[in-house]
Amino acid sequence: QVHLVESGGGLVQSGGSLRLSCTASGVGSDSYAIGWFRQAPGKKREGVSAINFRKFYADSVKGRFTISRDSAGNTVYLQMNRLKPDDAAVYYCAADHPDAFSGNSWWLEPLWDYWGQGTEVIVQS
């Protein structure tokens, strides 16, 4: 069982920055692929970014968001810069077995086996 704990959400002014953290625990959790998804009211959950040995980004955040992993592999960060009102959502961390992960379909929600509790990001104008 892989357990995911998210933190870093909160209130931020439009144009500001936040850093989200996802910490994984459990057997082999330091080698799992990690993804970030978000869901705003009235919208479906969408993929934001993912990381294994490569990094992947949705077009809507490319150039503004940066995903990274610490040297131990158990914590993944999402640095969010130049935030817009459209970025406001509940952000979820997800994990997938490294041998099952496909960079060709990382944005598909059913691919991911484990999910965190979510952390809310509110962007104020």
Side-chain angles (χ1 to χ4, degrees), residues 38-46 85-89:
R38 67 187 183 188
Q39 187 167 24
K43 297 183 178 180
K44 68 179 183 67
R45 190 173 297 184
E46 63 177 348
D86 285 348
D87 296 319

Side-chain angles (χ1 to χ4, degrees), residues 82-103:
R82 293 151 51 206
L83 283 161
K84 305 175 180 179
D86 285 348
D87 296 319
V90 177
Y91 283 71
Y92 298 90
C93 176
D96 194 30
H97 296 272
D99 57 351
F101 177 79
S102 174

Side-chain angles (χ1 to χ4, degrees), residues 51-68:
I51 185 170
N52 56 345
F53 295 105
R54 295 183 291 167
K55 299 176 181 179
F56 308 89
Y57 299 96
D59 289 342
S60 60
V61 306
K62 194 171 297 182
R64 298 188 298 119
F65 291 10
T66 302
I67 193 169
S68 62

Side-chain angles (χ1 to χ4, degrees), residues 75-88:
T75 300
V76 171
Y77 304 95
L78 185 67
Q79 178 66 44
M80 308 163 67
N81 296 329
R82 293 151 51 206
L83 283 161
K84 305 175 180 179
D86 285 348
D87 296 319

